[in-house]
């Protein structure tokens, strides 16, 4: 299991599909996850420090967790099946709730908990981008030009 950090959101053209890019904290692998527009907006707003007038869904979840006396310890991206990623919200006492990675990351950013990816997920979908001297954003742009969501669908082997 590797701790991941959120690099950012990029919109893949021409499909106008948002992609969440995570990178290993202590490694060279990146994990791209295609996500929905609403979740992409929630992640970007939190990264930019924008506070909406009324709480968004992920803000509400953060408030509910706190007011109900719980602590979100971590988010884990636990599986990849036929191109779909799966995540767990891990609370105290190892209580786990399955959630989409996009929602999980949006919540993790709000509560300040770590994000992890299981090794089998990174082995299947993690990418090492060449030329470490380049800026991460530029590497991400190059990557998006050469990949599509179909590249992460399971194949019969």
């Amino acid at each position: 299991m590797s701790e991941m950090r959120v690099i950012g959101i990029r919109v893949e053209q021409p499909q106008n599909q948002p992609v969440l890019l995570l990178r290993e904290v202590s490694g060279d692998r990146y994990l791209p996850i295609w996500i929905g527009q609403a979740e992409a907006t929630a992640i970007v707003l939190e990264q930019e420090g924008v506070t909406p007038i009324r709480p968004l869904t992920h803000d509400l979840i953060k408030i509910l967790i706190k007011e109900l006396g719980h602590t979100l310890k971590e988010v884990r991206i636990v599986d990849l099946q036929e191109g779909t990623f799966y995540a767990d919200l891990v609370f105290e006492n190892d209580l786990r709730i399955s959630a989409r990675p996009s929602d999980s990351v949006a919540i993790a950013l709000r509560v300040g908990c770590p994000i992890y990816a299981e090794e089998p997920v990174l082995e299947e979908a993690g990418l090492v981008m060449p030329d470490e001297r380049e800026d991460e954003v530029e590497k991400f742009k190059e990557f998006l030009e050469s990949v599509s969501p179909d590249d992460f669908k399971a194949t019969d082997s």
Side-chain angles (χ1 to χ4, degrees):
M1 183 166 58
S2 292
E3 185 171 0
M4 309 298 286
R5 69 180 168 97
V6 178
I7 298 298
I9 301 290
R10 174 100 172 131
V11 178
E12 180 187 25
Q13 299 299 334
Q15 298 89 349
N16 203 31
Q17 178 72 41
V19 181
L20 166 64
L21 184 66
L22 304 173
R23 182 176 184 199
E24 283 182 299
V25 170
S26 299
D28 296 328
R29 291 179 290 186
Y30 290 80
L31 186 62
I33 302 174
W34 277 259
I35 65 174
Q37 188 62 51
E39 295 78 18
T41 300
I43 290 168
V44 169
L45 288 175
E46 185 63 25
Q47 282 190 305
E48 293 179 356
V50 175
T51 304
I53 296 171
R54 299 287 298 145
L56 298 176
T57 303
H58 302 98
D59 301 311
L60 178 60
I61 292 170
K62 173 188 172 184
I63 293 166
L64 285 170
I65 291 169
K66 180 182 177 195
E67 293 300 316
L68 293 172
H70 294 285
T71 303
L72 180 60
K73 292 177 17 183
E74 62 191 39
V75 162
R76 291 187 184 177
I77 300 169
V78 295
D79 201 3
L80 174 60
Q81 295 179 18
E82 297 179 12
T84 300
F85 288 88
Y86 295 82
D88 285 344
L89 300 171
V90 182
F91 293 87
E92 71 275 1
N93 300 322
D94 204 35
L95 170 67
R96 293 170 185 247
I97 297 175
S98 182
R100 296 183 304 183
S102 55
D103 290 323
S104 300
V105 167
I107 296 166
L109 289 173
R110 284 163 172 74
V111 302
C113 74
I115 301 164
Y116 296 97
E118 298 284 346
E119 189 58 33
V121 173
L122 285 169
E123 287 175 9
E124 185 173 344
L127 302 166
V128 177
M129 294 189 204
D131 196 1
E132 286 297 320
R133 293 169 290 168
E134 288 185 47
D135 181 72
E136 289 176 353
V137 174
E138 290 304 314
K139 289 188 285 186
F140 188 34
K141 287 178 186 176
E142 289 176 20
F143 161 73
L144 287 176
E145 291 172 6
S146 66
V147 72
S148 73
D150 292 335
D151 291 335
F152 297 98
K153 291 188 177 164
T155 58
D156 295 331
S157 25

